[in-house]
């Protein structure tokens, strides 16, 4: 059985959610034949992406502080 670090799992889930978010907005933009406002499209798609990544980072930072894990020490070194 393969053990995975909970923080690494959260990073992977965050990347998958971010990819789904961007793909959804690209498909939505292409589906409307690009008749919408490109500034609105960019702000919603990249603003949402930024929000997802910031929320993931903040939650990870808070959890690490409560668990007493020093910064950047949550990854295992593979020898």
């Amino acid at each position: 059985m393969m053990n995975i670090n909970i923080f690494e799992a959260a990073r992977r889930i965050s990347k998958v959610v971010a990819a789904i978010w961007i793909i959804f907005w690209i498909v939505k933009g292409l589906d409307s034949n690009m008749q919408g406002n490109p500034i609105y499209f960019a702000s919603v798609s990249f603003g949402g992406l930024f929000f997802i990544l910031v929320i993931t980072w903040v939650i990870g930072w808070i959890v690490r502080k409560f668990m007493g894990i020093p910064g950047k020490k949550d990854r295992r070194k593979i020898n």
Side-chain angles (χ1 to χ4, degrees):
M1 184 172 156
M2 184 174 160
N3 292 333
I4 187 165
N5 184 343
I6 189 72
F7 296 110
E8 187 60 34
R11 284 185 197 104
R12 291 179 185 182
I13 291 169
S14 173
K15 289 177 184 178
V16 168
V17 170
I20 290 170
W21 178 265
I22 290 296
I23 291 169
F24 170 78
W25 279 101
I26 289 172
V27 168
K28 185 171 171 89
L30 293 174
D31 190 41
S32 66
N33 294 326
M34 295 296 188
Q35 297 297 321
N37 185 353
I39 301 298
Y40 172 76
F41 172 76
S43 64
V44 170
S45 60
F46 293 113
L49 177 64
F50 181 73
F51 179 77
I52 291 167
L53 297 178
V54 167
I55 288 298
T56 302
W57 179 80
V58 168
I59 291 171
W61 183 78
I62 291 170
V63 169
R64 283 181 192 89
K65 292 299 177 186
F66 278 120
M67 292 178 71
I69 300 172
K72 305 292 181 187
K73 299 292 183 188
D74 62 333
R75 295 180 188 249
R76 289 185 183 172
K77 293 182 181 180
I78 299 174
N79 294 331

